[in-house]
Amino acid sequence: MGLGDELRKYIPQDFGKKKKKKKHADKWEEEPRAEAPEREAEAKLEPEPEAGAVERPAESTRDQADTSSNSSSSRADDEPPPMGQHIILRGHTKAVSALAWDPSGAVLVSGEHGAQVRIWDFSQVESSSGSSSVYATQRTVEAWSGQQTHAAAFNRTGRVVACATGDPRAKLLALDGGSSSRGGTAVVSELPRGDMYIRDLRRTTGHVAPLTSVDWHPLRDDELVTAGADSTVRIWSCERPRGGTQLHVVVPRARAMRGAGASRVAVTACAYAPDGSAIAAAHADGTLALWPARGPFLRPLASTMSDATEGAAVSCVAFSPDSRLLATRSSDRGGSVRVWDIRNAATPVAAVHALPCAAAEASVAFSPAGRHLLAGVDGGMLALLRADSLAVARWIEPPFANSSVVRALWHPRANQIAVASAAGDIAVMYDAAASHGGALLCAGRIPRRRRVASSAETVAPGPIVAPHALPLFRDDSGALAAAKRRSANRPRPPPAVAGHGRGGCIGVNETQHIMKSIIKDTMRDEDPREALLRFADSAAGDGDGDDALPPAKRRK
């Protein structure tokens, strides 16, 4: 190394302020992408059934999946599902289409195909039919009368629930009822309805078609996003106590809208990323779009086709806890689940088919660590899928009687799984050693017994006399007794006389007197000629009448 090389270390090569360039890799850590995971997922699953055939996973298939998963590198499952014990929440009479869990895990909200929204507070639910595993609640709310509940979501504090129903207006419910206790439920506000006669949907405040999905911002208590059948996604601010302020309107361009004369395509699902950086929206035609949470909303960050089949609607979208993966659930090929990497959303990372679910609200949910997915199928089974390859790691059988699993949630803090069925029952599965709160608050509670009165405690029918009401126990001395005696001896005014007037005094005013005289005077209705003739006959028959007349006018 020469002298020039040594001096070059201390001599600056460029001048001025340097700007650090922000790279896309700084936001998300680079990870090696799995090679052909979709082929691995299809190789591990059984062949697809014929069109229209709905089969329940056989015992041999479940055993093969368990054997293959145990023989893999993850033989010791580092994220076992909590499924040792369970409780059943019973009260819905129709299919449960919405399920939401508060951040603490103490309150569960469920909505059905009817108008009922039930609030399950595990510290207050009571056992039903004398069983220690079946519970019921009396806290029911009607978001909108006669409207089906499509989705529900808690805000970050767990105090307000947003309900998306068949009405264009989302309703916000406060579980504490405006007080510090959690015993009541009150309507905080409802979002406005838009003008259906305005063609440009960006110029109206509110949806003009039924809502399909709702989700709260993970970092803000008063901001939420709603999706509707009017092909719009709207972001709201709920700082005001009554009503909400519309912040942004997103009108995604779906595949069916690109053709000439195409109508609007409903936005079937929407969700915030856990870090609050993006919003995912899916359409009824299979289009999946990723939008920046704070705008601009001119074009999406990524847009792809979730389903290869025409008309296959996406019923649910869910982000992984680290906001890197996005899972979608759709109805094509008998029911499909796909996983997307939001850094490169051109093609799915993995896909699995033949997971049929007849419900339109079929969901998919990530585990707390993001390594597994929950997907319900027909026949009352719950599939536990690996997030990287979507291979079936385990089949879970909830305590349902051959009823389809519609919704499933895995609470990260309580480590419990809530499963909703098409029959209206909700099962909460937990592990007594690994779970916390939630169903454990009521699982070990002894059912309250109603006390039956004995024969000795039964009071015979008859009058009940208080001892101090008897004359023997009355105190007739003192100032109070003297005041009572004076009040009894005080002269009282005579009772009011029944009739017209005030206080028994009969009297009428001038108008009543005039009207009374006019009504009773019937002379104007008589014929004057008849009256004169009547008086003439009486005068002719009276003999004394001629003596009173002058002599000239007497009758001869």
Side-chain angles (χ1 to χ4, degrees), residues 154-158 215-225 235-239 247-248 272-278 293-294:
F154 275 92
N155 67 341
R156 189 173 64 94
T157 61
D215 194 17
W216 287 90
H217 196 285
L219 305 179
R220 294 182 176 87
D221 304 342
D222 54 357
E223 185 174 325
L224 74 158
V225 59
I235 302 175
W236 304 84
S237 175
C238 302
E239 293 181 349
L247 300 180
H248 306 285
Y272 268 109
D275 58 359
S277 60
R294 308 311 299 174

Side-chain angles (χ1 to χ4, degrees), residues 201-468:
L201 298 178
R202 296 183 180 87
R203 303 298 180 183
T204 180
T205 302
H207 291 275
V208 297
L211 297 180
T212 57
S213 182
V214 63
D215 194 17
W216 287 90
H217 196 285
L219 305 179
R220 294 182 176 87
D221 304 342
D222 54 357
E223 185 174 325
L224 74 158
V225 59
T226 57
D230 56 356
S231 186
T232 62
V233 177
R234 299 177 187 269
I235 302 175
W236 304 84
S237 175
C238 302
E239 293 181 349
R240 297 187 303 169
R242 294 292 177 183
T245 303
Q246 182 173 284
L247 300 180
H248 306 285
V249 182
V250 184
V251 184
R253 186 174 178 81
R255 175 177 57 182
M257 298 177 65
R258 296 172 185 171
S263 59
R264 300 170 182 172
V265 179
V267 181
T268 55
C270 66
Y272 268 109
D275 58 359
S277 60
I279 299 174
H283 285 75
D285 63 346
T287 306
L288 180 65
L290 197 67
W291 301 85
R294 308 311 299 174
F297 301 101
L298 299 177
R299 59 184 307 171
L301 297 174
S303 180
T304 183
M305 303 308 302
S306 176
D307 295 325
T309 307
E310 291 286 346
V314 179
S315 59
C316 180
V317 293
F319 279 93
S320 62
D322 56 1
S323 303
R324 298 176 181 175
L325 300 178
L326 179 66
T328 59
R329 181 74 184 269
S330 56
S331 59
D332 68 327
R333 300 186 186 181
S336 301
V337 175
R338 291 176 174 84
V339 175
W340 309 78
D341 191 343
I342 63 175
R343 296 169 295 183
N344 184 12
T347 57
V349 174
V352 62
H353 309 290
L355 294 175
C357 186
E361 298 85 7
S363 66
V364 62
F366 274 94
S367 63
R371 290 188 287 269
H372 294 89
L373 286 169
L374 292 176
V377 297
D378 292 338
M381 297 301 298
L382 186 65
L384 184 66
L385 310 174
R386 302 187 183 278
D388 54 355
S389 61
L390 290 183
V392 180
R394 181 179 299 179
W395 289 101
I396 303 174
E397 187 172 0
F400 297 141
N402 296 327
S403 181
S404 301
V405 176
V406 182
R407 293 279 184 176
L409 291 178
W410 193 335
H411 198 278
R413 183 174 178 180
N415 192 22
Q416 299 176 15
I417 298 177
V419 184
S421 68
D425 294 338
I426 302 173
V428 180
M429 297 180 290
Y430 63 94
D431 189 349
S435 301
H436 309 281
L440 292 174
L441 299 176
C442 63
R445 187 184 307 165
I446 301 175
R448 184 181 300 176
R449 297 180 180 179
R450 296 182 179 180
R451 182 183 178 186
V452 179
S454 61
S455 58
E457 296 177 353
T458 305
V459 181
I464 300 176
V465 180
H468 294 281

